[in-house]
């Protein structure tokens, strides 16, 4: 089962897609989010999100600053103030 | 009655004014579409953030230990009015409507014995407020060097506001801008931005226990300035769309007025011309008869 991942900035919706896993640099340590993760909210340190589209593929890195992550039933939503791909 | 030459001159000058207003109207129509798209694109972020803020603030109680941005300074003596205007004119009563709303609020607050300060965004509206309240302008934020006010500007404004707030320069901040209803209707709106009014909590799911990292209060403290930025950004976008809408309507009216004026002047011109010809003919006939 894929994980629904959304990356939103104030200016636009950057990503809205289904991926395998996303590794998020939380302020209290990195965490990976897979499908079916428990509801969770965390602030994000400035750094790179690692998006794994497939289980064994190479991750795609998206650098974000001023981020916030929310995991709910709908998947992972990352709110970021600035994004550079 | 004006001479033929004068009339011709006036018709030409109105015609060139009409060309300008028509061009500005078309520019505004194109920019309006862009501004609306930008406002549309900003909605998901604002919505999500408001949802998160709502669910967070429903979980903690506001006390003295809460972040100052949420709980307030404990007094409401000094009010800061943040007035967002545009940099350009030619948009009808758009700017004066916003300034009027701000002035009404200022008068109301001063009658209640509060101190009022102004924070002005955009070039228009400065003159009026400077005339009325010369010593009460805390800062004038300049947006003339950017084409479209974007998130960077909102961020800078928010940072300055938070710094001023933390330095104890004011207790309550209100934001004045124009809400975009349609190209024809823009609504001057005022909104309290500091202390942050808690967004209405969404329906809390009882079964889903959300974990927080760090805890709720720290997340809330981190999100408050961001929420402020988002609100300012939203206001700037609404303002941009409203400005173009107002400009379009105003210029449409101006173009139509110029058309009416040209029609009237042309009639006067033709009448004068005919009168001149008739007079000439009468003179010739009278001359011939005299012979």
């Amino acid at each position: 089962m894929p994980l629904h991942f959304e990356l939103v900035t104030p200016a636009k919706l950057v990503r809205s897609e289904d991926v395998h896993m996303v590794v998020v640099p939380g302020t209290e340590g990195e965490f990976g989010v897979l499908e079916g993760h428990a509801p969770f909210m965390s602030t994000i340190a400035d750094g790179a999100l690692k998006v794994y589209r497939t289980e064994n593929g190479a991750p795609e890195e998206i650098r974000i600053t001023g981020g916030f992550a929310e995991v709910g039933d709908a998947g992972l939503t990352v709110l970021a103030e600035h994004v550079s791909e | 009655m004006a001479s033929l030459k004068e009339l011709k001159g006036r018709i030409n000058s109105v015609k060139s004014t009409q060309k300008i207003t028509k061009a500005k109207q078309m520019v505004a129509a194109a920019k309006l579409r862009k501004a609306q798209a930008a406002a549309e694109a900003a909605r998901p972020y604002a919505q999500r953030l408001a949802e998160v803020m709502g669910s967070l603030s429903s979980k903690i109680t506001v006390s003295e230990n809460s972040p100052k941005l949420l709980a307030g300074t404990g007094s409401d003596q000094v009010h800061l009015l943040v007035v967002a205007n545009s940099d350009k004119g030619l948009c009808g009563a758009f700017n004066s409507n916003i300034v009027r709303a701000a002035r009404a609020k200022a008068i109301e607050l001063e009658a209640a014995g509060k101190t009022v300060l102004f924070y002005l965004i955009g070039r228009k509206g400065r003159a009026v407020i400077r005339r009325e309240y010369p010593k009460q302008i805390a800062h004038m934020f300049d947006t003339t060097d950017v084409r479209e006010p974007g998130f960077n500007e909102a961020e800078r404004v928010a940072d300055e506001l938070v710094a001023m707030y933390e330095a104890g320069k004011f207790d309550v901040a209100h934001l004045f801008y124009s809400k975009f209803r349609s190209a024809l209707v823009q609504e001057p709106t005022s909104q309290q931005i500091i202390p942050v009014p808690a967004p209405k909590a969404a329906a809390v799911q009882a079964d889903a226990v959300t974990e927080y990292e760090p805890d709720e209060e720290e997340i809330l403290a981190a999100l408050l300035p961001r929420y402020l930025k988002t609100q300012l950004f939203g206001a700037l976008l609404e303002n941009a769309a409203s400005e173009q809408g107002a400009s379009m309507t105003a210029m449409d009216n101006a173009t139509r007025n110029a058309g009416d004026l040209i029609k009237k002047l042309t009639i006067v011109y033709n009448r004068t011309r005919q009168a001149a010809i008739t007079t000439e003919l009468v003179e010739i006939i009278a001359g011939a008869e005299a012979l």
Side-chain angles (χ1 to χ4, degrees):
Chain A
M1 272 290 282
L3 165 77
H4 188 69
F5 166 60
E6 284 195 356
L7 177 58
V8 194
T9 69
K12 62 175 189 191
L13 184 66
V14 181
R15 286 291 161 85
S16 177
E17 58 192 2
D18 287 336
V19 296
H20 174 65
M21 175 173 82
V22 181
V23 176
V24 184
T27 36
E28 307 206 330
E30 282 201 343
F31 56 89
V33 181
L34 283 159
E35 202 275 322
H37 196 289
F40 181 63
M41 279 187 201
S42 172
T43 46
I44 303 179
D46 297 348
L49 290 175
K50 291 197 195 82
V51 183
Y52 291 81
R53 277 169 200 280
T54 52
E55 200 168 342
N56 300 314
E60 177 198 8
E61 293 204 352
I62 307 173
R63 297 199 64 80
I64 59 166
T65 52
F68 176 79
E70 184 195 4
V71 185
D73 299 333
L76 168 70
T77 307
V78 175
L79 304 177
E81 288 187 337
H82 301 282
V83 169
S84 57
E85 287 178 58
Chain B
M1 179 137 333
S3 76
L4 279 179
K5 192 165 184 301
E6 269 169 43
L7 278 171
K8 194 144 209 180
R10 278 203 64 195
I11 291 175
N12 280 337
S13 92
V14 175
K15 263 188 190 157
S16 58
T17 309
Q18 191 187 29
K19 262 184 210 154
I20 295 173
T21 55
K22 194 155 201 182
K24 174 72 182 155
Q25 184 203 343
M26 288 195 294
V27 170
K31 280 194 176 169
L32 174 64
R33 218 165 302 137
K34 234 169 88 187
Q36 268 181 305
E40 199 78 33
R43 218 156 279 160
Y45 185 88
Q47 225 166 41
R48 297 247 161 73
L49 198 57
E51 274 167 27
V52 172
M53 293 284 296
S55 68
L56 275 174
S57 53
S58 71
K59 287 199 174 89
I60 65 163
T61 47
V62 178
S63 66
E64 287 128 48
N65 303 328
S66 306
K68 254 168 76 178
L69 275 175
L70 189 66
T73 51
S75 104
D76 65 339
Q77 188 51 44
V78 186
H79 288 250
L80 183 74
L81 305 187
V82 182
V83 185
N85 280 125
S86 69
D87 285 326
K88 295 191 186 86
L90 291 183
C91 46
F94 169 73
N95 285 309
S96 51
N97 279 343
I98 299 174
V99 171
R100 193 175 306 140
R103 265 179 58 196
K105 182 82 178 173
I107 290 167
E108 181 195 320
L109 286 170
E110 284 189 332
K114 314 280 188 209
T115 314
V116 176
L117 290 173
F118 286 93
Y119 186 103
L120 305 179
I121 304 172
R123 205 158 60 85
K124 294 279 162 185
R126 279 183 193 174
V128 184
I129 290 175
R130 207 190 278 150
R131 193 168 61 230
E132 300 271 327
Y133 304 97
K135 296 207 177 72
Q136 285 156 267
I137 297 180
H139 187 71
M140 293 190 273
F141 187 83
D142 199 39
T143 50
T144 40
D145 51 345
V146 284
R147 270 186 86 180
E148 310 280 328
F151 189 66
N152 288 336
E153 281 68 49
E155 204 168 20
R156 263 161 52 205
V157 173
D159 287 345
E160 278 178 35
L161 286 181
V162 170
M164 280 167 71
Y165 184 66
E166 263 155 20
K169 294 231 176 82
F170 65 90
D171 302 312
V172 184
H174 306 267
L175 176 64
F176 291 86
Y177 66 100
S178 202
K179 219 176 216 157
F180 182 80
R181 288 259 172 276
S182 70
L184 289 169
V185 184
Q186 300 87 30
E187 207 175 291
T189 314
S190 92
Q191 180 185 343
Q192 183 186 323
I193 46 170
I194 299 177
V196 176
K200 283 192 188 72
V204 186
Q205 305 108 321
D207 51 337
V209 184
T210 311
E211 269 185 66
Y212 295 94
E213 187 184 295
D215 58 32
E216 286 100 318
E217 293 196 15
E218 268 178 71
I219 292 186
L220 190 62
L223 284 188
L224 278 169
R226 271 183 221 169
Y227 186 62
L228 181 62
K229 280 176 209 169
T230 316
Q231 296 228 299
L232 280 167
F233 181 55
L236 287 183
L237 288 177
E238 291 264 347
N239 234 11
S242 300
E243 183 200 342
Q244 301 308 339
S247 175
M248 213 174 90
T249 325
M251 288 303 112
D252 188 40
N253 282 339
T255 311
R256 215 168 293 157
N257 273 346
D260 289 349
L261 199 54
I262 288 172
K263 241 186 237 160
K264 262 187 216 150
L265 284 173
T266 314
I267 287 171
V268 174
Y269 175 79
N270 285 340
R271 270 202 197 132
T272 317
R273 195 172 61 93
Q274 264 173 3
I277 292 170
T278 314
T279 323
E280 254 171 56
L281 278 177
V282 167
E283 273 167 12
I284 292 169
I285 293 165
E289 267 174 13
L291 282 174

